Amino acid sequence: MTLAVPCGIGKVTRPMSGWGVKFFDYDNDGALDLFLANGHPDDKIEEHTSGVKYREPLLLFHGTGRGFENVTGDSGPLFSRPYAARGMAIGDFNNDGLDVLIAINDGAPLLLKNQAGRLNHWLGARLLGKRANPDAVGALLSWQAGDLKRSLFKTGGGSYLASHDPRVVMGLGKRTQMDWVEVRWPEPSSRVERFSNLPLDRYIDLVEGQGEPRKP
């Protein structure tokens, strides 16, 4: 909570019960954003506690590079309704940018089709380890497009009772060229490779051993 307050998310999320939390770049501008699916675990909470609801709103925060701006109210009609969310997974069901699937208690799942990702350029990658583990969990992925340079760790797992799309999406904003992508493959490999001459706005495979070797 100490860091959440100055980042702009503490006050809004304090009364919520999050069942799915994920940082991802929903608009592909190169800055991580934050999505939360909420719902109180006690369906009788409103009978004995004031100010707390069983069904709670979805929350979306836009990353500014210095903090987060709550853009929930500007993100579509689904964000104006409360839900009893019980899980959330990030993935790309139609291969044009990351979407969100939310499990609803005693209800049908909710699929949010992302319309903002197509406003900017991006590159999606599936990391395929050879000496490293097959999904390259633990790899450090870095990329540069002009003045934009970013990095992230490839993680496994997901949110509560959910597993996210294993592919990594790298946002470029309005930049029209990816200069390079570098992968530091996890142990027992430790190989560092750089990939260049890459396409945009699609998914590719980055296979260990097929990039240009770099010094560790």
Side-chain angles (χ1 to χ4, degrees), residues 2-3 14 19 25 38-39 41 43 54 59 68 75-76 108 113 134 136 143 151-152 155 158 160 168 174 205:
T2 301
L3 292 176
R14 185 186 295 271
W19 290 85
D25 185 3
N38 305 292
D43 60 358
Y54 172 58
L59 294 175
F68 291 90
S75 300
K113 182 180 180 180
W143 67 95
S151 62
L152 56 80
T155 59
Y160 174 76
V168 178
K174 299 300 182 184
D205 288 343

Side-chain angles (χ1 to χ4, degrees), residues 53-196:
K53 302 293 185 180
Y54 172 58
R55 291 178 175 83
E56 299 175 335
L58 307 173
L59 294 175
L60 181 62
F61 295 87
H62 181 254
T64 65
R66 296 178 297 276
F68 291 90
E69 176 189 2
N70 187 356
V71 295
T72 303
D74 301 321
S75 300
L78 292 178
F79 286 83
S80 64
R81 308 169 191 168
Y83 302 94
R86 291 296 185 271
M88 179 267 289
I90 300 296
D92 189 353
F93 77 93
N94 56 353
N95 290 327
D96 70 347
L98 291 173
D99 308 293
V100 182
L101 180 65
I102 302 169
I104 305 297
N105 198 29
D106 293 327
L110 184 65
L111 179 60
L112 278 66
K113 182 180 180 180
N114 182 7
Q115 304 286 3
R118 65 184 64 180
L119 299 177
N120 291 308
H121 293 296
W122 56 279
L123 174 63
R126 181 176 61 159
L127 272 60
L128 300 175
K130 295 299 182 180
R131 181 170 172 77
N133 65 82
D135 291 327
V137 174
L140 177 60
L141 186 72
S142 304
W143 67 95
Q144 182 165 343
D147 61 326
L148 178 73
K149 187 174 183 180
R150 295 287 187 267
S151 62
L152 56 80
F153 280 102
K154 173 72 186 308
T155 59
S159 294
Y160 174 76
L161 296 181
S163 182
H164 302 302
D165 193 324
R167 297 174 296 179
V168 178
V169 175
M170 298 164 277
L172 278 69
K174 299 300 182 184
R175 301 163 186 85
T176 58
Q177 179 178 330
M178 177 72 84
D179 296 332
W180 49 261
V181 173
E182 187 172 278
V183 181
R184 183 180 294 269
W185 301 93
E187 298 288 351
S189 173
S190 298
R191 183 196 300 262
V192 180
E193 294 178 307
R194 182 169 289 187
F195 299 82
S196 55

